[in-house]
């Protein structure tokens, strides 16, 4: 039996990943920050698919919470086969690059970059130490098209996502000798709570301007399928790979 942690698994892309993994046969640790009701709903959906779900409230920006997330996972399942680092926030302050303040920058970097960086370190050390499972352990990092698209009023978010791209490279290179492949998935514009407030703007960009050449919104399930593809050993000789799941956004 294989076990996955999905950070930010209670809503949006994370929920899509959790359900795709449950369908693929994984027991899933559904991590969330504060929305316990949403996590419970996802947990029930996992169990309806015949798999086990463990709900763990943990703020990925806090070292103690990250350690507890890993401990509770091993306590419940005894192993970890897949870490999906998905949790993230959009900037709550949008400000021009020449005016943006440090406080909101620090908070966003703690959640979107520092938290994943050290959670991966902790998970990898445990994966290295555990008995081999059905297939080698893997790590998937959810970054963004913002890793390479300069949005001048949310530099903090772009810097964090670009940092995740290098985080993927670093851990892929370091963990290869342990048989642990690391992948970066770059979602394009996906319909979730994060994009809800800007639906009209993105409708225009997608359907009129064709910024997403496959002219539709991405869905959480699109990202879930990509995670399952790498998790289930479809790319065993690829690591540090970037997988664009963006409807062709990167072609523009
Ligand atoms: P949502 O806002 O819909 O969901 C965010 C999830 O992350 C929730 O489960 C939330 O938990 C969790 N979360 C937030 N902060 C923390 C924290 N400090 N610790 C633990 N969990 C936390 O976002 P999306 O699903 O849209 O985004 C998921 C990821 O995909 C993010 O990394 C985002 O940057 C990235 N992405 C999204 C795109 C999009 O178009 N939507 C495009 C490209 C990348 P809770 O429910 O408790 O609040």
């Amino acid at each position: 039996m294989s076990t996955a942690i999905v950070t930010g698994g209670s809503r949006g892309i994370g929920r899509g990943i959790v359900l795709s993994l449950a369908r693929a046969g994984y027991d899933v640790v559904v991590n969330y920050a504060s929305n316990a009701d949403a996590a419970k709903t996802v947990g029930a959906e996992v169990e309806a698919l015949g798999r086990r779900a463990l709900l763990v409230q943990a703020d990925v920006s806090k070292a103690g919470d990250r350690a507890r997330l890993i401990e509770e996972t091993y306590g419940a399942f005894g192993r970890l086969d897949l870490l999906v680092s998905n949790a993230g926030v959009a900037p709550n302050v949008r400000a021009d690059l020449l005016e943006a303040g440090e406080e909101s920058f620090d908070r966003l970097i703690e959640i979107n970059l520092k938290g994943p960086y050290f959670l991966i370190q902790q998970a990898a050390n445990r994966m290295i130490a555990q008995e081999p499972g059905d297939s080698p352990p893997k790590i998937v990092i959810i970054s963004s098209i913002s890793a390479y698209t300069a949005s001048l009023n949310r530099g903090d978010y772009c810097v964090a996502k670009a940092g995740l791209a290098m985080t993927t490279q670093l851990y892929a290179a370091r963990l290869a000798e342990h048989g642990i492949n690391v992948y970066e998935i770059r979602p394009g514009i996906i319909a979730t709570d994060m994009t809800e407030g800007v639906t009209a703007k993105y409708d225009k960009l997608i359907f009129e301007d064709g910024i997403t050449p496959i002219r539709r919104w991405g869905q959480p399930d699109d990202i879930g399928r990509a995670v399952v593809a790498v998790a289930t050993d479809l790319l065993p000789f690829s690591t540090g790979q970037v997988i664009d799941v963006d409807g062709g956004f990167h072609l523009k």
Side-chain angles (χ1 to χ4, degrees):
M1 203 56 63
S2 296
T3 302
I5 294 176
V6 180
T7 66
S10 50
R11 290 186 287 120
I13 290 173
R15 172 177 172 272
I17 295 169
V18 167
L19 296 181
S20 294
L21 288 170
R23 281 185 215 106
Y26 281 79
D27 292 331
V28 190
V29 180
V30 180
N31 159 250
Y32 64 99
S34 60
N35 198 332
D37 287 344
K40 273 183 207 152
T41 302
V42 178
E45 290 174 301
V46 169
E47 280 163 13
L49 289 164
R51 305 263 50 103
R52 290 175 65 198
L54 175 71
L55 315 182
V56 181
Q57 186 287 325
D59 181 338
V60 296
S61 72
K62 295 183 179 160
D65 284 19
R66 292 192 294 270
R68 183 169 49 74
L69 173 60
I70 301 284
E71 285 315 314
E72 289 190 21
T73 299
Y74 276 86
F77 297 110
R79 59 180 303 102
L80 177 61
D81 301 282
L82 172 68
L83 170 66
V84 184
S85 176
N86 162 77
V89 291
N92 54 16
V93 179
R94 289 196 177 211
D96 181 85
L97 208 52
L98 297 181
E99 292 161 8
E102 287 190 31
E103 201 176 314
S104 57
F105 182 95
D106 287 346
R107 183 66 188 136
L108 187 135
I109 294 292
E110 279 176 6
I111 298 170
N112 286 14
L113 180 58
K114 182 180 172 187
Y117 187 94
F118 286 105
L119 180 63
I120 291 165
Q121 182 192 66
Q122 281 177 297
N125 277 307
R126 296 297 294 263
M127 287 169 163
I128 290 167
Q130 74 190 2
E131 291 297 315
D134 296 339
S135 66
K138 293 171 193 70
I139 294 168
V140 177
I141 298 175
I142 306 299
S143 67
S144 170
I145 49 180
S146 296
Y148 61 88
T149 304
S151 302
L152 300 183
N153 65 353
R154 49 178 198 159
D156 45 8
Y157 188 80
C158 295
V159 166
K161 293 300 184 182
L164 289 180
M166 179 50 72
T167 300
T168 307
Q169 302 294 302
L170 289 164
Y171 280 110
R174 182 64 183 85
L175 297 175
E177 68 181 278
H178 298 287
I180 300 172
N181 286 2
V182 185
Y183 302 96
E184 176 193 351
I185 291 179
R186 284 186 187 160
I189 302 167
I190 312 294
T192 70
D193 293 345
M194 192 179 274
T195 46
E196 205 177 15
V198 283
T199 303
K201 175 184 148 193
Y202 282 133
D203 273 348
K204 179 178 180 310
L205 287 170
I206 294 167
F207 298 110
E208 291 178 32
D209 304 344
I211 196 170
T212 300
I214 299 177
R215 290 182 186 233
R216 68 165 172 86
W217 280 79
Q219 298 298 326
D221 183 59
D222 290 311
I223 311 303
R225 286 167 187 243
V227 171
V228 168
V230 295
T232 52
D233 279 329
L234 284 177
L235 298 174
F237 201 51
S238 299
T239 191
Q241 207 69 35
V242 179
I243 300 160
D244 297 291
V245 189
D246 64 357
F249 180 99
H250 68 282
L251 302 169
K252 298 301 273 186

